[in-house]
Amino acid sequence: MLWIKSLHIIFMVTWFSALFYLPRLFVYHAACDDQPGNERFKVMERKLYRGIMTPSAVLTIFFGTWLWLGYGFAGDWLYAKLALVGVLVIYHFYCGKYVAAFKNDNNQHGHVFYRWFNEFPVLILFAVVILVVVKPDLF
Ligand code: HEM
């Protein structure tokens, strides 16, 4: 089990590195007004979303589910954690929607919006790690 948990935590870290970096690229891309810069950001965003963020999300959830179902974990902490992971997956898909909007030169938001958008995963990270390590009785 510890090998699976190690892989779960490793891919969680790579997922979060992209969840923190991609919206930061959106902040600078939304403020960018030169064409070479615009094209460079499109390449960086596409490679980060498809090459790191999405595979990391799939592997975090795969190894987490293996831990959950393979070793019989249960409890309020896990159900609360799964709900927050669900929110994180929705956030992940919104990032994909914004990657596509920038790719099609159809971005609708300014850099201030993306600065707030960028902060959201921090809240999820704090909550999920506290839930899984402390395992508080919630209900
Ligand atoms: C569907 C998604 C997920 C499932 C089913 C899942 C399930 C689990 C389970 C069953 C454990 C073992 C708990 C234990 O050994 O006490 C675990 C450990 C862990 N999970 Fe997840 N997890 C998921 C996603 C995540 C995400 C998104 C994060 C990060 C924000 C995360 C962070 C952790 C950490 C840090 C541990 C190690 C806890 C420890 O060793 O005490 N997991 N996960």
Side-chain angles (χ1 to χ4, degrees):
M1 182 188 81
L2 293 181
W3 284 93
I4 298 164
K5 193 192 291 190
S6 302
L7 291 168
H8 178 57
I9 296 171
I10 290 165
F11 291 116
M12 177 273 283
V13 172
T14 58
W15 188 17
F16 268 90
S17 67
L19 284 166
F20 290 149
Y21 188 33
L22 184 58
R24 183 52 52 178
L25 287 178
F26 294 158
V27 170
Y28 300 127
H29 198 170
C32 171
D33 53 15
D34 69 292
Q35 196 51 26
N38 181 26
E39 294 309 319
R40 190 179 314 113
F41 279 120
K42 289 180 186 179
V43 173
M44 292 169 76
E45 289 157 4
R46 186 185 74 245
K47 288 187 174 178
L48 184 59
Y49 184 73
R50 293 191 190 161
I52 297 175
M53 196 160 136
T54 303
S56 299
V58 170
L59 290 165
T60 301
I61 294 169
F62 172 74
F63 288 113
T65 306
W66 187 344
L67 284 168
W68 168 27
L69 303 179
Y71 296 90
F73 283 95
D76 305 345
W77 64 272
L78 183 60
Y79 308 128
K81 179 181 175 183
L82 291 176
L84 289 173
V85 174
V87 172
L88 200 60
V89 169
I90 293 169
Y91 181 90
H92 181 111
F93 283 118
Y94 264 93
C95 286
K97 185 170 163 275
Y98 297 142
V99 168
F102 275 113
K103 177 175 170 279
N104 302 321
D105 295 317
N106 184 27
N107 170 48
Q108 304 294 319
H109 300 288
H111 68 89
V112 174
F113 168 85
Y114 287 118
R115 286 180 195 282
W116 286 104
F117 181 75
N118 197 184
E119 301 309 325
F120 185 74
V122 178
L123 304 176
I124 300 281
L125 182 66
F126 270 80
V128 169
V129 170
I130 290 167
L131 280 169
V132 73
V133 173
V134 178
K135 296 184 174 59
D137 287 324
L138 301 170
F139 313 117

